[in-house]
């Protein structure tokens, strides 16, 4: 029975690869995370908004 249990617990080479593979640690403020992407888009949209507002104040935008 011991041999049978060992066979159940053995992994193929592909399964070992995925179990041993180290994924890069992601932090909340990196560009790949939802929070980082939201911060990036917020900075981009706010700067565009301020720029358009200043153009309107200067009379260059109707």
């Amino acid at each position: 029975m011991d041999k049978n249990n060992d066979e159940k617990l053995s992994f193929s080479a592909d399964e070992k690869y995925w179990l041993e593979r180290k994924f890069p640690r992601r932090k909340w403020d990196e560009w790949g995370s939802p929070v980082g992407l939201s911060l990036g888009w917020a900075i981009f949209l706010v700067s565009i908004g301020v720029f358009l507002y200043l153009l309107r104040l200067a009379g260059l935008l109707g």
Side-chain angles (χ1 to χ4, degrees), residues 5 11 19 26 34-35 58-60:
N5 286 338
F11 295 108
L19 287 174
R26 303 245 166 135
V35 175
L60 299 173

Side-chain angles (χ1 to χ4, degrees), residues 18-35:
W18 287 108
L19 287 174
E20 293 173 359
R21 184 175 177 203
K22 302 284 185 201
F23 292 100
R25 185 172 170 216
R26 303 245 166 135
K27 296 181 182 177
W28 67 271
D29 61 341
E30 290 180 349
W31 294 113
S33 72
V35 175

Side-chain angles (χ1 to χ4, degrees), residues 41-61:
W41 276 108
I43 291 169
F44 176 72
L45 292 176
V46 167
S47 63
I48 294 292
V50 169
F51 179 70
L52 292 175
Y53 178 71
L54 290 174
L55 285 179
R56 185 168 182 211
L57 285 178
L60 299 173
L61 195 62

Side-chain angles (χ1 to χ4, degrees), residues 7-23:
E7 287 176 6
K8 287 181 185 177
L9 296 176
S10 66
F11 295 108
S12 69
D14 189 45
E15 290 168 334
K16 284 181 184 177
Y17 168 76
W18 287 108
L19 287 174
E20 293 173 359
R21 184 175 177 203
K22 302 284 185 201
F23 292 100

